[in-house]
Amino acid sequence: MHTLSNLFNPIIAKPKNTLQYVEIPPSNLLKPYIRCFWGSFHQLLPSGKNKQRSYSTIIIPDGCMDIVVDINHISNTLSAAFCGINDAPFQTAVTTKTATTSTFGIRFYFWAVPLFADTTMRDALNAFIDVDNYFYDFRKKLADILLERPSLMDQIAAAEEYLLSCLQASRPMDPNILNALYYILKTKGLISIPAICTSLTISQRHLERLFTEFIGASPKKISDIVRFQMIWQDMYYSRNRNFCDLAYHYQFAHQSHFINNFKKYAGRTPLEALQYAES
């Protein structure tokens, strides 16, 4: 698990922390499983100063699954949803935030969710569903605590306690899944599925069944998402705009194939994605 998380550090469409969005790393015990905790800081302003802000954002495939909790600190209510691994970009609905509302999220690496959830990931691809469908006692154990603790750091502390208790009760994952994921991440998604199966001495059909059950997507789809993420990180951090070079490095037939594939996952051309990230 530690090796997998060391190989994969996915980023979102707008990676920079802002006042509206911040990422907090987990404790060392949870680093192999949790990409980050994320959310908005809650600050209750004096009456009349709680300005409303409407916003929407684009979500790109990042190889993660999330629990998303929206909290209204005036009505003292919350909603909690589970977002499975997604293989296409989508625009979130326009929402209105005030200083009396906040969002808290737990972002799991895609290979780690089965260790915490109460059911398989068979239907998790592109799922956005009530958290109770995958985490049966999440509301029972965390809802009241999250409502009582408006501080993001306090919410993280409560979530970590819950997650560690789930981890202690979990069963080990099939080593064939972990080994296959190691090959995928190590090669940045460029290894073929038959090559993985040959190395593991298992059939492709069996590997696909394992991935569908525990991750919710086929090995090929996971490889494609990983490759996209590696490209996006390469572009974002190095500002690499040599698309011909990127196409060659990531084994695309030609530059137009690379750009079309990137748009499939980012919803934008490479240049547009970089501009959006900085906007």
Side-chain angles (χ1 to χ4, degrees), residues 111-136:
W111 60 78
V113 183
L115 299 174
F116 300 90
D118 295 298
T119 187
T120 72
M121 296 296 108
R122 181 171 292 277
D123 299 315
L125 183 64
N126 297 319
F128 190 80
I129 194 169
D130 192 281
V131 72
D132 291 347
N133 287 272
Y134 285 88
F135 298 83
Y136 300 159

Side-chain angles (χ1 to χ4, degrees), residues 135-205:
F135 298 83
Y136 300 159
D137 62 355
F138 182 86
R139 290 180 188 274
K140 179 181 178 181
K141 292 188 174 180
L142 274 184
D144 290 342
I145 298 174
L146 295 177
L147 288 171
E148 291 168 1
R149 301 182 185 181
S151 162
L152 181 58
M153 300 310 296
D154 286 344
Q155 292 171 346
I156 290 173
E160 289 214 335
E161 184 176 346
Y162 166 78
L163 292 169
L164 287 170
S165 68
C166 293
L167 192 59
Q168 290 176 350
S170 67
R171 293 179 295 177
M173 189 176 292
D174 190 311
N176 282 316
I177 300 175
L178 299 177
N179 290 331
L181 289 173
Y182 174 78
Y183 286 124
I184 290 171
L185 296 177
K186 185 70 174 179
T187 62
K188 300 184 177 182
L190 300 180
I191 190 172
S192 72
I193 306 308
I196 294 175
C197 293
T198 298
S199 297
L200 299 180
T201 63
I202 63 173
S203 70
Q204 185 168 333
R205 185 175 180 181

Side-chain angles (χ1 to χ4, degrees), residues 191-239:
I191 190 172
S192 72
I193 306 308
I196 294 175
C197 293
T198 298
S199 297
L200 299 180
T201 63
I202 63 173
S203 70
Q204 185 168 333
R205 185 175 180 181
H206 180 53
L207 186 64
E208 289 176 350
R209 280 200 301 265
L210 288 174
F211 268 61
T212 300
E213 187 78 8
F214 290 96
I215 297 175
S218 70
K220 179 62 167 64
K221 192 174 290 292
I222 292 297
S223 293
D224 289 344
I225 292 171
V226 167
R227 180 170 69 162
F228 163 72
Q229 263 295 317
M230 295 302 188
I231 293 168
W232 176 224
Q233 292 170 52
D234 198 350
M235 286 174 46
Y236 179 78
Y237 289 121
S238 68
R239 292 299 187 270

